[in-house]
C-alpha cells in the first residue's frame, strides 16, 4: 500500500513500501555526505576543484545545496558587488513600474499550486517580489514565462530567501551569466540556438533517436524547450531538479536530456 509523504521542498510523494525503504537508505547516505560538507560550510570555503566536482556528482545534501549554488554560480560575489539594499530597491521599483507586473500576477497561482508554501500568501508574495525585481534589474529581458518555476524552485532550495534566490537568478540569466545568452529574450533566440545544439548532439550521440525524430518530423524544440527554460523544474521531481542545477545548469540540461 502506497504511503504519502513530503519531500524536502514540500512536494507530495506517493511511495510504495519498496520506494519508502529505498528513500530511507538514500537519506542515510545523505547524512554521510553531509559530514563531508560540514567542515567546508563552517569555513565558508568550497573544496578544491577536483574534489568539488566529485562531491557535486555524488550529490550535495539539501542543507548545503543553496550555499554551494551561491558560491559556484557567482551569486554570492554579485551580491557583495552591489549596494546592500539593491534587491529591496529593485523590488520597490518593480512593484511601482514593471511592465511585466500583469503577466507575473497571472502566472503566480499557476506556479506549483500543489506546493503548500509556494501557493500560500507568503510564497506568492516572495515569488512576486523576486520576479518583479529581476524584471527591472534586467529590463531587456523583463519577465519570460518559465522564470516563475525557476524562481520558485530557487526560493524553496535557498531557505525561502528572496534575496538569495534573486541573486542566483541574476547569476544564471545576466549577460555574463551561466545560461546561454538570450535564452529568455522576447524571441527566445538563445533557446533556439540551444535547441539546434541539442539536435546536433542527438545526431552524434543518439543517431537512432535522431533518425526517428527526422522520420516522424518531430522538432527537438517541441520536446525540449520547456525542459531548458524551466531547468527541468516542471519535468522532474524537485529533489532531482535541485541536483541538476550543479555544477553548471546549461551543461546539465544537455546531459540530462541526452
Amino acid at each position: 500500500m502506497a504511503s504519502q509523504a513530503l519531500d524536502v521542498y514540500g512536494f507530495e510523494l506517493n511511495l510504495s513500501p519498496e520506494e519508502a525503504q529505498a528513500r530511507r537508505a538514500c537519506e542515510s547516505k545523505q547524512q554521510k555526505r553531509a559530514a563531508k560538507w560540514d567542515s567546508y560550510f563552517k569555513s565558508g570555503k568550497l573544496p578544491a576543484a577536483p574534489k568539488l566536482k566529485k562531491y557535486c556528482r555524488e550529490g550535495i545534501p539539501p542543507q548545503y545545496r543553496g550555499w554551494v549554488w551561491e558560491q559556484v554560480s557567482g551569486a554570492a560575489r554579485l551580491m557583495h558587488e552591489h549596494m546592500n539594499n539593491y534587491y529591496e530597491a529593485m523590488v520597490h521599483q518593480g512593484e511601482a513600474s514593471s511592465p511585466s507586473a500583469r503577466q507575473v500576477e497571472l502566472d503566480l497561482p499557476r506556479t506549483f499550486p500543489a506546493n503548500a508554501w509556494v501557493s500560500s500568501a507568503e510564497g506568492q508574495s516572495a515569488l512576486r517580489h523576486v520576479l518583479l525585481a529581476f524584471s527591472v534589474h534586467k529590463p531587456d529581458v523583463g519577465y519570460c514565462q518559465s522564470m516563475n518555476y525557476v524562481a520558485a524552485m530557487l526560493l524553496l532550495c535557498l531557505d525561502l530567501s528572496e534575496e538569495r534566490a534573486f541573486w542566483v537568478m541574476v547569476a544564471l540569466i545576466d549577460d555574463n551569466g551561466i545560461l546561454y545568452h538570450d535564452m529568455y529574450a522576447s524571441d527566445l533566440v538563445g533557446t533556439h540556438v540551444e535547441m539546434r545544439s541539442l539536435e546536433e548532439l542527438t545526431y552524434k550521440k543518439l543517431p537512432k533517436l535522431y533518425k526517428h525524430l527526422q522520420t516522424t518530423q518531430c522538432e527537438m524544440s517541441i520536446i525540449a524547450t520547456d525542459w531548458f527554460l524551466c531547468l527541468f523544474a516542471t519535468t522532474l521531481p524537485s529533489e532531482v531538479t535541485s541536483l541538476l542545477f550543479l555544477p553548471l545548469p546549461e551543461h546539465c540540461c544537455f546531459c540530462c536530456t541526452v
Side-chain angles (χ1 to χ4, degrees):
M1 183 176 180
S3 61
Q4 290 187 333
L6 296 178
D7 69 12
V8 295
Y9 303 118
F11 291 93
E12 188 174 290
L13 299 171
N14 291 305
L15 304 174
S16 67
E18 294 78 11
E19 290 170 334
Q21 183 177 1
R23 184 173 177 81
R24 286 192 292 271
C26 289
E27 289 171 350
S28 176
K29 289 182 179 179
Q30 276 189 355
Q31 291 176 359
K32 294 179 180 178
R33 292 195 190 107
K36 295 180 180 180
W37 281 100
D38 189 56
S39 61
Y40 294 107
F41 178 72
K42 288 178 178 177
S43 70
K45 296 181 180 179
L46 292 171
K51 185 176 286 188
L52 175 62
K53 185 176 182 179
K54 177 178 181 290
Y55 281 10
C56 287
R57 287 184 171 179
E58 287 177 352
I60 303 168
Q63 62 267 42
Y64 298 127
R65 281 175 201 163
W67 172 68
V68 176
W69 286 3
E70 290 174 297
Q71 301 302 316
V72 172
S73 68
R77 173 182 52 80
L78 289 169
M79 184 188 298
H80 290 300
E81 287 176 353
H82 288 74
M83 62 183 186
N84 291 335
N85 63 341
Y86 183 82
Y87 171 68
E88 288 78 6
M90 291 298 98
V91 171
H92 292 316
Q93 185 179 336
E95 290 179 324
S97 61
S98 173
S100 306
R102 182 175 180 277
Q103 188 59 57
V104 167
E105 209 61 37
L106 289 172
D107 287 346
L108 290 176
R110 303 170 183 167
T111 310
F112 299 136
N115 184 284
W117 183 81
V118 175
S119 59
S120 70
E122 179 188 358
Q124 296 281 283
S125 176
L127 184 56
R128 178 187 297 109
H129 289 165
V130 172
L131 293 173
L132 290 179
F134 186 84
S135 72
V136 292
H137 164 78
K138 191 165 176 56
D140 57 318
V141 171
Y143 169 72
C144 172
Q145 287 180 307
S146 69
M147 283 184 182
N148 50 319
Y149 294 105
V150 175
M153 195 69 216
L154 290 173
L155 282 164
L156 291 170
C157 296
L158 290 160
D159 303 322
L160 313 183
S161 168
E162 295 180 23
E163 186 170 16
R164 294 172 70 195
F166 169 79
W167 285 113
V168 174
M169 278 198 74
V170 171
L172 287 171
I173 304 173
D174 254 10
D175 290 340
N176 296 317
I178 293 170
L179 297 177
Y180 189 79
H181 184 63
D182 282 342
M183 267 191 65
Y184 295 96
S186 58
D187 57 1
L188 299 181
V189 61
T191 303
H192 296 316
V193 173
E194 294 287 71
M195 291 300 103
R196 181 62 183 273
S197 299
L198 179 59
E199 187 175 332
E200 293 179 3
L201 184 63
T202 306
Y203 172 76
K204 293 179 181 179
K205 299 294 184 180
L206 299 168
K208 289 184 179 179
L209 175 59
Y210 176 83
K211 184 177 180 180
H212 176 71
L213 292 173
Q214 294 297 306
T215 302
T216 57
Q217 297 183 328
C218 179
E219 294 183 10
M220 184 63 70
S221 59
I222 296 174
I223 302 170
T225 295
D226 180 73
W227 299 349
F228 275 59
L229 287 175
C230 295
L231 299 181
F232 288 93
T234 59
T235 307
L236 297 173
S238 62
E239 292 177 336
V240 177
T241 300
S242 69
L243 291 173
L244 292 176
F245 275 28
L246 284 169
L248 292 175
E250 183 187 10
H251 294 174
C252 288
C253 281
F254 284 104
C255 293
C256 185
T257 300
V258 173

